[in-house]
Amino acid sequence: MTRYASYLTPAGAPTWGAEKDGTLFDLGPSGLGVAPTLRDAIVSDALSSTPSTANAPAQAVDGTRFLPVVGEAAKVICIGVNYKTHQAETGRADAGHPTVFTRFTDTLWPHGADVRIPPESAMYDYEGELALVIGRPAHRVPRAAAWDHVAGYAAFNDFSARDWQRHTGQWTPGKNFPESGTFGPYYVTAADLGDVDELVLETRVNGEVRQHAGVADLIFDIPAIIEYVSTFTPLAPGDVIVTGTPGGVGLFREPPEFLAPGDIVEVEITGLGVLRNRLVA
């Protein structure tokens, strides 16, 4: 399995490359020039066969400053209340259609970077999620054809200002504070990752497991999500859909436990690595 990352070179230039055994091999503009960005590589289908890393500039993963793994998406669509365990803790009734909200691209933030808790929020929370990246134009895609439009996957943390999320019935303000959508560290193609129903998602806060679920537990599975979302908005290669979070968020713990400066949140998904961020004031 080849894992891809977006990151900065030692000289501070943005690039992307393949990770192997703790080393990053530069396939971007400062390296082999396969494509300017990882998103461009997805759009051009440059990852349909694994690019060679021979003669690529290399650097250790340790000490590397990462970038949001696919940070230039035109659309980031998020699905809410999409695991039975999360639905149960919220007390929401069954829904006939996915709950959808949007996230602005400028909220995306990298693995390893500190996340600032907004001073306007006293209820800052985590949501570990699986994100998928669209690989082919998708408009009114039937369920049976949905998998053909998935390019690959990465881990996502949908940090949420719950107080702002609850101001009205619209969730957009609580889901779009700066630095609130951490994304990465690695992207894996759908062909390499295999059956997503076999993936396990786990979120930890300061080492304590808060969320643990199989992706097979999604209420609306990935084909259903793509069919629904692509009906109301055309999706382009490089667009991102964040598929929902399991039960165990801080808001519904007894008593509620929100994030504080110094907390370290990790989201780990089978094959996709560990997305880690520290919270700061």
Side-chain angles (χ1 to χ4, degrees), residues 152-250:
Y153 303 90
F156 200 95
N157 197 333
D158 180 35
F159 285 106
S160 303
R162 299 296 189 191
D163 31 14
W164 282 71
Q165 183 182 349
R166 290 180 154 195
H167 282 174
T168 69
Q170 300 297 321
W171 295 359
T172 300
K175 298 288 190 173
N176 281 283
F177 275 88
E179 305 172 9
S180 62
T182 59
F183 193 17
Y186 299 117
Y187 165 89
V188 178
T189 66
D192 264 4
L193 197 61
D195 185 358
V196 294
D197 281 349
E198 296 182 358
L199 305 183
V200 174
L201 183 157
E202 183 171 280
T203 305
R204 299 180 290 270
V205 179
N206 302 325
E208 177 190 7
V209 175
R210 297 286 186 87
Q211 297 179 293
H212 185 94
V215 173
D217 294 341
L218 287 171
I219 298 171
F220 296 99
D221 63 10
I222 287 170
I225 293 169
I226 290 174
E227 180 180 55
Y228 185 77
V229 171
S230 72
T231 300
F232 74 82
T233 185
L235 299 169
D239 287 348
V240 175
I241 299 177
V242 187
T243 58
T245 199
V249 299

Side-chain angles (χ1 to χ4, degrees), residues 7-26:
Y7 59 95
L8 298 179
T9 68
T15 193
W16 69 280
E19 183 272 340
K20 296 181 181 179
D21 300 323
T23 300
L24 293 163
F25 295 90
D26 193 341

